[in-house]
Amino acid sequence: MADLENKITVDERLGHIAFIMDGNGRWAQKRMMPRTYGHKHGAENFKNIVRYCGDIGIKAVTVYAFSTENWGRPKNEVDTIMNLLSQYLDTCEEEMKIHNIRYKFLGDMSVFTPELRKKIEHVEELSKDNGLLLNVALNYGSRAEIVHAFKVLAAEGKREITEEDISGALYTAHCPDPDIIVRTGGDIRLSNFLLWQAQYSEFYFTDVLWPDLSPSDVDEIVREFYRRKRKYGKV
Ligand code: IPE
Ligand code: IPE
Ligand code: MG
């Protein structure tokens, strides 16, 4: 880590950061606004934070955008999130060009409309040679992901199953495990996010609500990461 003139940059030790983007609803409620208002601001901030992570040299960012359990929310909230997603996908082409983003969507996309899936596939294909990997976990649940991986391995007729086989059959097969998992919004849990991949991830929990997370908060996360000593079970 270099902190020249207050500009933080990272090295290969911090290649992959993951965010549980939590607290949109409470952010809106604090302003006497509907929860959906928080999702709009959360979506805006997501773009800012991803760009900032790229600026400081992080190679891969994973965000938890919508869980397999989030379908249980009121219909108008789910509809708003899906509309935001669709609007976001429409702006992706510009984002990917300006910020060199390579998009990957993690989760079971089969539940989405053919139109939305086409957009997702288009964005992934168009950005596949870009540099900054952005994994968007969407209709994602870690247990569902693990079950899916086992089904893939079973269909291949695998008998001797290794850890590498399982990692390679997960939605995250294309990238290393996260070095740090950040959760905003004050709750201290994973909520079905990257259970397998979190094996030796560092964890960072903050009370800051997602729409308020700022570049200087990211700087503090980076500084805290470099204060940690990762031991991987060794001495
Ligand atoms: C996270 O914010 C965004 C999604 C889960 C889609 P929340 O909507 O969970 O916000 P809080 O936790 O209720 O404040
Ligand atoms: C986790 O947040 C999911 C996302 C951020 C997309 P939730 O708000 O759904 O998690 P719980 O319900 O508080 O555990
Ligand atoms: Mg929440």
Side-chain angles (χ1 to χ4, degrees):
M1 179 184 69
D3 197 351
L4 303 168
E5 293 161 11
N6 294 324
K7 170 92 173 77
I8 285 218
T9 55
V10 304
D11 58 21
E12 68 292 338
R13 284 175 291 170
L14 180 38
H16 183 184
I17 187 166
F19 291 99
I20 300 174
M21 307 188 289
D22 197 23
N24 291 349
R26 280 164 286 164
W27 185 89
Q29 280 162 342
K30 263 174 57 180
R31 288 162 178 76
M32 314 294 277
M33 295 296 280
R35 294 176 52 83
T36 49
Y37 180 72
H39 293 309
K40 290 190 186 97
H41 282 266
E44 275 310 308
N45 202 37
F46 148 72
K47 292 194 213 170
N48 297 336
I49 294 296
V50 170
R51 275 182 219 140
Y52 187 70
C53 288
D55 287 348
I56 63 175
I58 292 174
K59 299 270 187 303
V61 180
T62 298
V63 293
Y64 202 4
F66 195 82
S67 75
T68 46
E69 288 74 42
N70 287 149
W71 295 107
R73 294 185 177 205
K75 185 176 183 305
N76 83 310
E77 181 167 344
V78 172
D79 287 350
T80 300
I81 295 170
M82 291 305 142
N83 283 336
L84 285 168
L85 167 69
S86 174
Q87 284 166 22
Y88 175 68
L89 286 166
D90 291 334
T91 66
C92 272
E93 259 181 64
E94 210 183 321
E95 287 281 305
M96 83 176 63
K97 280 186 200 129
I98 302 173
H99 303 290
N100 192 30
I101 296 174
R102 173 184 162 212
Y103 289 93
K104 277 285 201 179
F105 289 81
L106 317 178
D108 177 9
M109 300 299 121
S110 71
V111 300
F112 296 114
T113 60
E115 195 197 359
L116 205 68
R117 277 161 64 183
K118 233 171 101 186
K119 276 192 200 178
I120 288 172
E121 281 159 23
H122 178 67
V123 161
E124 284 186 341
E125 175 58 29
L126 212 61
S127 65
K128 68 178 190 309
D129 297 321
N130 287 355
L132 169 60
L133 175 63
L134 172 56
N135 294 313
V136 182
L138 198 63
N139 186 30
Y140 174 89
S142 191
R143 286 199 171 188
E145 177 187 39
I146 292 167
V147 169
H148 175 259
F150 282 21
K151 285 183 179 165
V152 167
L153 296 174
E156 286 171 1
K158 276 247 181 241
R159 292 235 159 248
E160 299 293 320
I161 295 177
T162 65
E163 292 189 8
E164 287 69 30
D165 290 330
I166 294 173
S167 292
L170 295 173
Y171 295 125
T172 50
H174 57 283
C175 70
D177 290 339
D179 295 299
I180 187 163
I181 298 177
V182 176
R183 181 173 188 140
T184 59
D187 286 311
I188 302 180
R189 55 176 172 261
L190 282 176
S191 303
N192 204 10
F193 187 52
L194 304 181
L195 303 181
W196 174 274
Q197 297 88 337
Q199 181 194 29
Y200 274 108
S201 302
E202 296 296 321
F203 290 99
Y204 187 99
F205 296 97
T206 171
D207 290 337
V208 174
L209 302 172
W210 175 259
D212 286 331
L213 193 82
S214 67
S216 68
D217 292 323
V218 175
D219 288 350
E220 182 44 37
I221 293 164
V222 170
R223 283 192 207 96
E224 172 58 21
F225 176 82
Y226 282 103
R227 284 193 287 266
R228 306 266 178 100
K229 187 165 164 34
R230 303 180 79 186
K231 290 162 53 185
Y232 302 96
K234 319 263 172 24
V235 289

